[in-house]
Amino acid sequence: MNGPSSKAVLFLLPAVALSTVVFLLPFGWLVYASFKVQGQGSLLMADGLSVANYMRLVTDSYFAAALWRTVWLSAVSTLLCLVIGLPVARLIATGSGRAKGLLLALMLVPLVCGALLPSLGMIHLLGSLGVVNGTLKMLGLIGGSIKLLGTTGGVILGMVQAFLPLMVLPLVNTLSRLPRDVEAAAASLGASPIRVWRRVILPLAMPGIVAGAVLVFCAGFTAFVTPQVLGQGKIATFGTVAYQQAALVLDWPFASTLAVVVLVAIGLTLILSAQFDRLTKRRRALA
Amino acid sequence: MRDTLSNRAIAAALAASIALPAMIAPALAEDFKGKTLVVGVWGGDIERLLRQNVVGPLEAETGAKVELVLGGTGDRLARIYAEKANPTMDIAFLNIYEAPQALKDGVVEAPDPKSPLYTEIWDGMNNGCYAMSLVGLGIAYNKKLVSSPPEWADMWKPEYKGKIAVAAYPGSEGDGLLGVAARLAGKDEHDADAAFAKVGELKPIALTYTNLDEAFAMMDAGEVAMAPMISGYVLAALKTHPDIGFSFPKSPGPVLVRDMLCLVKNSPNPELAKKFAELALGVKNQTDYAEQLYFGPTNKNVKLPESVSADVIDTPEEVKGLLQMDWPYVITQRSDWTQRWNKEVLGQ
């Protein structure tokens, strides 16, 4: 018993060492910095510790609004990813041969090319002088441009586009492990396709759904490039506000505070999802 | 004895043959070989001119390499602050409102009043760092929508409602607009409430632009009528946009904006940095800045042809007609104003 576990620890060492150096230490510094403030009329950190940044965060409604906006933008994106992702994941999971490979490859493209490139591409699609507005104008459907960039709709579109693979991949994983005869059995007992989905496929796919939802939600919560580029500075999320504070205002202590809040929120999301996972497992064990 | 002598002679001759070329050729070439000067600066035309007038000659003369790190001032300001204890950047080009703050926080060298760099530049310009170029915040406008060069107050006319574009904030365009708006309201930038109330009247803002092409495309399409913009690039870009004009308003005048060249404190290559600064602030480079980019020179020895002089801020008298804001005060307000801008101008 002792043998394998100490060996496992040995195998974990490089990863632990790496994450200590590149993640835990900077994170510790971040937490420390969040309790500093800038000196009067200076951009440098003053001596001493204080909770002034946290007070500002709590007392200024602007940040609460940004936090709330970030939460609901991520939640809506997660929901949309789920609705769009489920059929796609099912197609990939049940498909075969070239079509399946192609679909999977297409799904992976946004993951491979990162957030910036697709976002810049979408500017040309959604811009006032972009493809969408241009087409609508050519067809005589609109006179002036409709605003797509710099709106929450545009940001959500960008986030769904960027994070869809994070939903689809875990779903494919769980859906492809579902025994097909379970569905056949349900159908042969008279369940309609909708009922099969609702009572059989969805409950069994729950682990995948939770995993995908957590991934998309966390990605949305920390997203910076997509809201920054597609929001055109008009949609303040926690990511863009933290960027503004760190890179433009140069108030690093306050930016650190924002980052700490984001990390805590993500930690909470993970704990919640683990709890949820345990609950559903227990329920299934009981059933 | 003779042998030793001749040996000595040979040794001496050898030593001389090694040392002489080094003495004849610029001694510096040996000193700076293998060194890399790191300069943080804007890209585009500025980069092109610096490569041509400064980087090329400097590399040829000294044997050093010059690395230009391109981007906005925020990037390099963040870098020199973060690296305060151990700088890796030698020169940072900053804005007028950032330079005094950087000096106060001890991240850049104070301009040396005795150096030729300092004395060749007009009096009173080296504020925090060395003054590099002078531009003014004026109004770019669509000539089809706005019939004559507009005054500031015209931006608030009802017919242009929803057709005003502004640059991303924080930035000198936004701060300049706040300064102008406050004066139109009978105050100045020290009264932020008045400034924001007035700028807020421009809502809804048609476009928050981060680059000129974006703004000009919207202007050419007739969706933007006017935008406060900094002369220089804009004037240079007008050649390819016949329907766009640029106005230097009268009341108040254009807001004076200065680009500053800062020598980073305790930088790895201070001597190279000085040489770079001499070339950058020199007559040749500043003349090209003026003729090609419409950036006004700060060097007293620059003489511009009449045609260029008309579009460029190039005399101390001209500077007096410009609106000079209290930039050191403005930067202390940056955090608050950024938030207010987000809320009150962009409606977040």
Side-chain angles (χ1 to χ4, degrees), chain A residues 41-44 56 60 62-63 69 128-129 137 145 147 232-236 244-245 247-252, chain B residues 74 77-78 81-82 101 104-105 169-170 205-206 208 214 217-218 221 223 334-335 338-339 342-343 346 348:
Chain A
S42 167
L43 294 177
L44 296 168
R56 180 175 171 198
D60 191 328
Y62 176 73
F63 299 104
R69 190 179 298 115
S128 292
L129 309 170
K137 273 184 219 166
S145 303
K147 275 223 171 331
Q232 300 217 302
K234 290 186 187 170
I235 309 297
Q244 209 170 41
Q245 289 294 327
L248 302 175
V249 177
L250 296 180
D251 189 343
W252 294 342
Chain B
L77 197 61
Y81 268 85
Q101 180 74 54
K104 204 167 142 196
D105 285 333
Y169 194 87
I205 297 294
T208 301
E214 199 182 357
M218 286 288 277
E223 303 208 4
R334 209 176 197 187
S335 181
T338 301
Q339 209 172 313
N342 289 343
K343 266 196 256 187
L346 301 178
Q348 282 175 3

Side-chain angles (χ1 to χ4, degrees), chain B residues 256-307:
Chain B
L256 175 65
V257 181
R258 250 173 291 174
D259 289 346
M260 310 297 283
L261 185 158
C262 299
L263 304 177
V264 178
K265 194 157 197 166
N266 304 323
S267 92
N269 304 295
E271 286 165 60
L272 270 175
K274 278 219 181 70
K275 288 178 171 298
F276 184 100
E278 278 164 20
L279 286 167
L281 296 166
V283 172
K284 167 83 174 94
N285 191 46
Q286 289 219 345
T287 307
D288 280 356
Y289 260 56
E291 290 183 348
Q292 296 180 36
L293 311 183
Y294 298 90
F295 276 43
T298 52
N299 192 317
K300 291 172 187 164
N301 303 323
V302 173
K303 300 276 177 286
L304 296 176
E306 197 69 28
S307 58

Side-chain angles (χ1 to χ4, degrees), chain A residues 195-232:
Chain A
R195 205 174 154 87
V196 171
W197 265 97
R198 208 160 54 85
R199 300 297 300 271
V200 180
I201 301 179
L202 281 183
L204 288 173
M206 209 31 110
I209 293 176
V210 172
V214 168
L215 283 175
V216 173
F217 185 83
C218 291
F221 202 92
T222 53
F224 160 65
V225 173
T226 309
Q228 178 76 12
V229 174
L230 297 179
Q232 300 217 302

Side-chain angles (χ1 to χ4, degrees), chain B residues 2-127:
Chain B
R2 181 174 286 182
D3 273 2
T4 17
L5 250 180
S6 70
N7 274 350
R8 221 179 261 170
I10 291 166
L14 260 176
S17 70
I18 295 167
L20 257 176
M23 283 193 271
I24 293 164
L28 305 160
E30 294 302 314
D31 295 346
F32 294 117
K33 203 151 244 162
K35 303 254 183 195
T36 302
L37 183 78
V38 180
V39 178
V41 68
W42 297 274
D45 288 324
I46 287 188
E47 179 204 1
R48 179 175 58 80
L49 288 183
L50 284 181
R51 280 201 191 283
Q52 174 194 314
N53 294 332
V54 184
V55 175
L58 190 66
E59 286 186 341
E61 187 204 332
T62 62
K65 283 258 159 291
V66 178
E67 185 192 332
L68 298 183
V69 181
L70 305 179
T73 58
D75 300 345
R76 39 190 177 271
L77 197 61
R79 177 162 168 178
I80 61 178
Y81 268 85
E83 295 177 343
K84 186 171 187 260
N86 194 11
T88 58
M89 186 174 266
D90 297 286
I91 289 182
F93 283 85
L94 299 179
N95 286 326
I96 174 61
Y97 55 92
E98 295 157 334
Q101 180 74 54
L103 178 64
K104 204 167 142 196
D105 285 333
V107 293
V108 300
E109 287 286 352
D112 174 8
K114 284 191 223 83
S115 82
L117 282 179
Y118 194 100
T119 49
E120 280 187 12
I121 291 170
W122 296 341
D123 295 339
M125 284 287 149
N126 297 317
N127 201 336

Side-chain angles (χ1 to χ4, degrees), chain B residues 155-179:
Chain B
M155 295 202 324
W156 275 266
K157 281 189 178 161
E159 58 258 47
Y160 304 120
K161 187 113 188 137
K163 295 205 161 187
I164 307 295
V166 295
Y169 194 87
S172 25
E173 290 95 340
D175 286 326
L177 178 62
L178 285 168

